């Protein structure tokens, strides 16, 4: 009997999350209506508070995993194993294969909830996430560019590249809903940027 009740609770919570994702994407956090969410989820305001403390707690339940995965990846991507020979070749098909494997194994599971995190988090504790992600990406590119280029343009150029990459990822997620196609497009998009950066650093012949 306890097992049956637990299933029922999980179904209600998942229904709330499902409707909340749609509402937050459509209205943003500030304008989203908890009453509308719970009504479409088939429950009540009173029951909502059995699962979530408030609207921000509900938003966090949707995006927190995406946030942590992305931050972890950016901070730890240098530890990812790559074939030793990769840096010595400029074979696009080989790099494409590696990027696709990376997306399938260690990169964050980019989804509509990542779009929520970047575009709809104003008014929550996640509202500075976009700038934090850009800063992390910028620092990574700037480090490589200042070491490998003859002029000190690394920080400015790194920020531009970081903004473009993040905007491009969001655009792919908004335009394409099929998961496999998303991965393929993201791999191609990242490959495009990578080839450009490698060429700038003189590593792409």
């Amino acid at each position: 009997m306890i097992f049956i009740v637990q299933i029922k609770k999980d179904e209600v919570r998942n229904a709330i999350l499902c409707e909340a994702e749609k509402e937050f994407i459509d209205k943003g956090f500030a304008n989203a209506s908890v009453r509308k969410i719970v009504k479409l989820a088939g429950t009540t305001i009173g029951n909502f508070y059995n699962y979530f403390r408030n609207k921000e707690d509900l938003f966090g339940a949707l995006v927190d995993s995406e946030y942590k995965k992305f931050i972890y990846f950016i901070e730890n991507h240098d530890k990812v194993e790559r074939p030793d020979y990769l840096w010595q070749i400029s074979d696009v098909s080989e790099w494409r294969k590696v990027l696709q494997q990376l997306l399938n194994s260690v990169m964050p599971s980019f989804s509509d909830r990542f779009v929520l995190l970047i575009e709809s988090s104003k008014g929550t504790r996640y509202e500075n996430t976009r700038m934090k992600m850009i800063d992390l990406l910028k620092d990574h590119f700037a480090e490589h560019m200042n070491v490998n280029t003859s002029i000190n343009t690394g920080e400015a150029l790194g920020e531009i590249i970081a903004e473009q990459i993040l905007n491009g990822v969001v655009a792919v997620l908004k335009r394409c809903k099929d998961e496999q196609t998303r991965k393929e497009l993201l791999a191609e998009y990242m490959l495009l940027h990578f080839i450009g950066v490698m060429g700038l650093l003189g590593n792409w012949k």
Side-chain angles (χ1 to χ4, degrees):
M1 182 63 180
I2 294 175
F3 180 67
I4 295 173
V5 170
Q6 185 59 49
I7 290 176
K8 208 167 185 180
K9 286 183 178 180
D10 288 343
E11 286 177 351
V12 172
R13 185 176 188 276
N14 289 337
I16 293 172
L17 288 170
C18 180
E19 296 302 332
E21 184 174 331
K22 298 173 189 175
E23 178 73 356
F24 287 135
I25 286 176
D26 186 41
K27 303 284 182 59
F29 173 80
N31 295 320
S33 166
V34 172
R35 289 189 178 277
K36 179 180 177 182
I37 290 168
V38 297
K39 181 179 179 180
L40 291 172
T43 186
T44 64
I45 285 287
N47 199 29
F48 168 84
Y49 290 106
N50 290 325
Y51 300 93
F52 305 99
R53 293 188 301 274
N54 49 43
K55 185 165 72 169
E56 185 171 358
D57 185 42
L58 172 61
F59 188 87
L62 287 168
V63 304
D64 194 62
S65 177
E66 298 276 351
Y67 174 82
K68 289 177 179 175
K69 286 177 183 177
F70 189 89
I71 298 299
Y72 178 84
F73 175 74
I74 294 299
E75 293 179 342
N76 295 275
H77 72 282
D78 285 336
K79 300 174 185 176
V80 176
E81 291 187 10
R82 304 175 183 89
D84 292 336
Y85 64 85
L86 202 57
W87 302 110
Q88 279 74 52
I89 66 171
S90 55
D91 184 343
V92 173
S93 63
E94 195 66 25
W95 276 101
R96 179 178 289 114
K97 188 195 310 179
V98 171
L99 282 171
Q100 288 174 342
Q101 290 172 348
L102 196 64
L103 280 168
N104 285 322
S105 58
V106 297
M107 289 197 74
S109 53
F110 292 116
S111 69
D112 290 341
R113 295 182 181 188
F114 187 81
V115 178
L116 271 183
L117 183 61
I118 301 302
E119 294 197 335
S120 303
S121 59
K122 186 176 181 180
T124 77
R125 64 183 181 275
Y126 301 95
E127 66 180 359
N128 294 320
T129 296
R130 186 178 187 279
M131 285 311 305
K132 181 172 183 177
M133 290 182 177
I134 287 175
D135 284 343
L136 287 170
L137 288 166
K138 175 192 72 177
D139 291 344
H140 169 68
F141 286 119
E143 179 183 348
H144 290 288
M145 288 175 185
N146 284 334
V147 168
N148 291 283
T149 57
S150 57
I151 55 175
N152 186 21
T153 58
E155 184 172 350
L157 190 55
E159 185 170 1
I160 292 169
I161 294 172
E163 288 180 351
Q164 288 184 338
I165 287 177
L166 191 57
N167 291 341
V169 168
V170 170
V172 169
L173 297 178
K174 290 172 74 172
R175 288 171 179 267
C176 179
K177 298 304 179 183
D178 176 71
E179 184 177 352
Q180 185 55 40
T181 306
R182 274 180 169 178
K183 288 180 180 178
E184 292 172 0
L185 283 173
L186 286 171
E188 291 299 305
Y189 179 71
M190 291 175 185
L191 180 62
L192 174 68
H193 277 281
F194 184 80
I195 290 173
V197 172
M198 289 289 284
L200 181 66
L201 301 182
N203 295 334
W204 199 271
K205 307 299 182 183

